[in-house]
Amino acid sequence: MQTGTALAPRRSFRNLVKDPFEFWPRFNRMFEGLGAVSPFTEENALVAWTPPCDIYETDKAIVLKVELPGINKEDVSVSIDNNLLTIHGERKFQEETKRENYYRVERNYGEFFRSFTLPNYIEPAKILAEFKEGLLEVNLPKREEAKPKQVEIKVQ
């Protein structure tokens, strides 16, 4: 019996994968005939994408926070139509550096759309949107009749 070799990988297994990035092209080829785009291809970085967002409610408003790093305020629009809040924008690919010089493109570029149906108790005329340090915050204030009220209890 040899001591200390039970947990050590065998030499043949270590030589099985010489380049750790060699696996991904083979993996992506599985999606080619299906008419689908693998989520791991670099071409996927230049198509429509969905920025992450948080939505929470306070006593006075519903607050929406959308992460938009690397996007200018001028490239984002917020609109409301028939109780549908739509956030639209675009992250532009930097043209100063040619794409051929990149080893990997993992961040998403191109247009994005996010739409949210607003509840009836939102006051559309008072909606505020603020863009700061790559974070879009949309404050959707509630109508007065929708805000919680304290009712006084009388004792007889």
Side-chain angles (χ1 to χ4, degrees):
M1 178 175 177
Q2 295 177 332
T3 60
T5 59
L7 298 178
R10 297 184 181 246
R11 181 179 300 267
S12 61
F13 180 73
R14 274 187 264 145
N15 293 335
L16 183 65
V17 178
K18 295 174 185 162
D19 179 10
F21 298 107
E22 178 183 337
F23 168 76
W24 292 110
R26 283 190 267 158
F27 179 79
N28 289 332
R29 270 187 253 133
M30 290 190 310
F31 292 90
E32 284 177 1
L34 303 174
V37 176
S38 165
F40 303 104
T41 60
E42 290 167 5
E43 291 80 22
N44 200 31
L46 298 173
V47 297
W49 58 285
T50 305
C53 102
D54 294 337
I55 301 173
Y56 62 92
E57 185 172 6
T58 66
D59 289 341
K60 298 180 180 185
I62 294 178
V63 181
L64 209 100
K65 291 186 177 182
V66 185
E67 287 185 6
L68 302 171
I71 298 177
N72 296 323
K73 175 184 161 187
E74 297 78 29
D75 296 330
V76 178
S77 68
V78 178
S79 62
I80 300 170
D81 188 27
N82 290 332
N83 273 2
L84 187 69
L85 174 76
T86 302
I87 301 169
H88 169 253
E90 181 178 9
R91 180 184 292 147
K92 297 176 182 167
F93 190 74
Q94 309 301 339
E95 294 297 327
E96 300 95 48
T97 308
K98 296 191 182 198
R99 187 151 191 242
E100 294 84 30
N101 295 338
Y102 276 82
Y103 292 105
R104 239 173 150 54
V105 177
E106 292 185 346
R107 295 184 302 151
N108 292 317
Y109 295 90
E111 282 189 285
F112 65 87
F113 292 92
R114 292 297 308 255
S115 294
F116 305 94
T117 302
L118 299 178
N120 292 331
Y121 55 83
I122 295 298
E123 186 67 56
K126 296 183 180 178
I127 293 176
L128 297 172
E130 181 181 353
F131 190 77
K132 184 179 179 183
E133 296 178 1
L135 186 67
L136 173 67
E137 183 173 322
V138 183
N139 193 314
L140 308 160
K142 296 178 183 177
R143 292 189 171 131
E144 282 301 318
E145 60 268 14
K147 293 179 184 175
K149 295 176 181 67
Q150 187 74 25
V151 177
E152 185 180 335
I153 301 172
K154 295 182 182 180
V155 179
Q156 295 183 1

